[in-house]
Every structure is written in structure tokens, then in C-alpha cells.
Amino acid sequence: MAEMIVKRISAEEYKSLFPAPLHVFNQVEFNELNKGKVDDVHYLIFLDGRKVRFGIILGEKKDVLQAPFSAPFGAMEERGVQRLSHYMEAVGLLRMYADSLNRRVRLTLPPSIYDKKSVISKQFCSVLTRGGDVVHADYNYHYPIGEFPDFKDRMWPEVRNKFSGAMRQNFDFEVVSSDDIAGVSTVYSIISRNHAALGYPLHMSESDIINTSAIIKMDFFIVRHEGCPIAGGMVYHTSSCGRQVIYWGDVTEHRVLRPMNFLAFKVLEYYNTAGDAEFLDIGPSSSDGIPSLGLCDFKEGIGCQLTPKFTVELK
């Protein structure tokens, strides 16, 4: 067996080798769209002779090579099912590559719900064995869509009461196509107002959302009360098995009506009816591993499950 090496290649070459990545954030098109947010983008492959075993896309910023550099998570791609020993060797080479540039490597791995054929688990364990560290673990929540028919039964009792109240309101639920620019703008306006009121950063502009929707399939949702848009959400088709809430929220002056309880129900109902996804990834309720307990309670209260999302570092 030939000794494995790491090689930097072009975006076009990388795309030809990994045309169907584990998740959308590993798509070349997505990373090319966001490359202006870093100093450089490294497309790397790991070879045994002529056999390509792995690939990874890293954004370089100051002294860090990171995956992802503008997404919720990144990670290595494998080309065919690879042994743990191959992962160990590749991680070692990745560390050497970074050392040669006087850089460190930071990876935010997908939560385990995306872990098909142990791709993520093998990376996580290999990084630790090769001397890497866990920087933090974010509190990531998801809802198993197959359990949606028991939505009300899975709720905490006090949340069930709020949900029942929300269902009595005169709400209308609207699904918006990504081609409906006015509809997308309405959803973005709701999210922008929500984040401003709560003091949360909003990392994507409206044009960022529109440009991304041309690359990643996205769904948009609006809840209206007496014709007024009061809650909304944006969801990526993250993988073949998963959908991910990127943003959702309500406007504070209508919060007493509990539109978020209604929105969560209707979004899950929508994907349950579609029947083409296993889970709705509702995302982290933490920042750099520090949980927002109110957000955790909301997600657990409607029946979501917690899985950690690890950020690890090689240095």
C-alpha cells in the first residue's frame, strides 16, 4: 500500500471528485459563494497512490484553517467507505499540512444525526487520538419527523397548554417559494425584527439569503394573524435525510399569541406530509458551548432531542 499524502487542488477538481457530499455545506458551490469571508480557501484531498480517500474544504483566516468558515458545520468527506486507520492517517497529515503553514485546524463537526456509516464519529475520535482537543460542545436540537403524529403528547404539560391556546388563534400558515422574492423579504423582515429585539446577531443579509437559495434548496414559512405577518422561518434542505432551521422567530408585540408554538407544529406537519426527511435539525441553543437555557427549554418543551455538536482543534 502506498503512503498517504495530502494535496491541494482546484475547486473544479474537488467538485468532480465529491459531487454528492454528506451535507450541503460541503458543496463547492456553497464554499465558493462564501469565499470572500476568508483570506483563502484550501481544497485538499488525501491520496493513497492514485486512490483518493478523503477531501476537506478549509477556509484560511489569520492563523486558522477552519471547516466550516461560513456554515453551521463542515467536516471531511470520504470517497467510498474508509477504515478508521485511514482516518487516523489523514488527520495526522492534516495536522502536518497546517503545521507547514504555521496554522492550526479547527473543525465544527455535524451533530450525530447526520452520521451515516460513522463518518463523523471516525473523524471525532481520530482527532482526539491524534492529540486534538474539544474546544466546546454546542447544544444542538432536532425533532424526529417520524414521531410528529405524537407532537402534542411529546410536549411538556405547560407547553401543551400554550400550544392549545395558540391553536385557538386565527392564524394562517403560508409556505413561500424561494422564487417569491417579496415573500422571502417578508420572512427576512420578521427574522430581522426578532433578532434586533432580542439582541441576537444576524449573520446573513437578505441578499445572502437570496443568493444562497439559488445554491441550496430552501423553504420559507410565514404565520399571519388577521393578515399581519407575525412569525416566520427559513429552512435548508441540508442533506438527503435532514432539514435544518436556519432562522425562525416572531415579532415581540404578538408573542402573547404564541405564534412560535403554532409555527413549529405547522413546519413539522409540512415535512411529515412531504415524507422525504428523517429529522428537522432546529440547530444550536448555545454560543461557543454556553447554552441559552430559555431556548433549550423551548425546544425540549415541544419534544426535541439534544445531541452535542463538537468543535475540535488540531494545533
Side-chain angles (χ1 to χ4, degrees), residues 72 138-141 244 281-287 295 299 309:
D138 278 309
Y139 293 64
N140 204 88
Y141 286 89
Q244 184 183 46
D281 178 359
I282 303 185
S285 295
S286 57
S287 178
L295 275 176
K299 293 174 183 180
K309 185 175 75 170

Side-chain angles (χ1 to χ4, degrees), residues 119-297:
V119 170
I120 299 159
S121 297
K122 288 178 182 178
Q123 291 180 58
F124 177 71
C125 292
S126 296
V127 167
L128 297 190
T129 301
R130 285 292 189 176
D133 299 312
V134 175
V135 179
H136 58 255
D138 278 309
Y139 293 64
N140 204 88
Y141 286 89
H142 74 280
Y143 196 102
I145 292 174
E147 298 183 23
F148 171 74
D150 298 323
F151 183 74
K152 194 169 182 178
D153 293 336
R154 288 168 59 87
M155 290 179 175
W156 291 354
E158 62 269 29
V159 177
R160 193 177 301 124
N161 291 336
K162 295 174 183 177
F163 172 72
S164 297
M167 295 299 285
R168 291 193 294 269
Q169 302 298 324
N170 186 30
F171 288 141
D172 292 311
F173 178 70
E174 180 181 348
V175 181
V176 176
S177 166
S178 59
D179 296 328
D180 181 354
I181 302 302
V184 172
S185 183
T186 297
V187 176
Y188 189 84
S189 177
I190 295 167
I191 301 302
S192 181
R193 291 169 62 188
N194 170 267
H195 279 55
L198 297 173
Y200 295 159
L202 190 54
H203 298 294
M204 298 180 74
S205 67
E206 186 173 335
S207 61
D208 288 336
I209 295 294
I210 292 170
N211 291 338
T212 301
S213 70
I215 293 172
I216 296 176
K217 186 174 181 181
M218 295 180 66
D219 301 316
F220 299 86
F221 305 97
I222 300 173
V223 174
R224 298 181 187 270
H225 183 254
E226 298 178 351
C228 179
I230 65 170
M234 310 175 186
V235 176
Y236 284 163
H237 286 231
T238 321
S239 70
S240 59
C241 61
R243 307 291 176 262
Q244 184 183 46
V245 175
I246 297 303
Y247 294 123
W248 66 0
D250 56 10
V251 293
T252 54
E253 55 265 38
H254 290 90
R255 187 160 296 161
V256 67
L257 300 176
R258 309 293 182 185
M260 289 303 297
N261 296 83
F262 178 81
L263 176 63
F265 171 80
K266 294 300 290 184
V267 169
L268 285 164
E269 181 183 58
Y270 175 82
Y271 290 118
N272 182 65
T273 300
D276 59 354
E278 297 174 14
F279 59 85
L280 180 65
D281 178 359
I282 303 185
S285 295
S286 57
S287 178
D288 295 334
I290 306 301
S292 170
L293 296 180
L295 275 176
C296 293
D297 281 351

Side-chain angles (χ1 to χ4, degrees), residues 27-46:
Q27 288 181 354
V28 167
E29 296 90 340
F30 179 83
N31 286 277
E32 286 293 290
L33 177 66
N34 291 285
K35 67 181 181 180
K37 299 176 182 178
V38 290
D39 302 326
D40 199 4
V41 179
H42 298 241
Y43 292 91
L44 304 181
I45 56 172
F46 300 81

Side-chain angles (χ1 to χ4, degrees), residues 37-97:
K37 299 176 182 178
V38 290
D39 302 326
D40 199 4
V41 179
H42 298 241
Y43 292 91
L44 304 181
I45 56 172
F46 300 81
L47 302 109
D48 262 346
R50 295 184 178 180
K51 182 178 179 62
V52 177
R53 294 200 179 275
F54 304 101
I56 192 169
I57 304 172
L58 298 164
E60 181 179 351
K61 195 168 186 178
K62 296 183 179 178
D63 65 339
V64 182
L65 298 173
Q66 56 191 42
F69 56 85
S70 182
F73 46 76
M76 297 171 68
E77 287 285 338
E78 62 176 15
R79 200 158 185 259
V81 178
Q82 302 296 328
R83 297 178 183 179
L84 179 59
S85 58
H86 296 144
Y87 274 98
M88 298 280 288
E89 190 173 358
V91 168
L93 284 170
L94 180 58
R95 186 172 195 168
M96 291 173 61
Y97 178 84

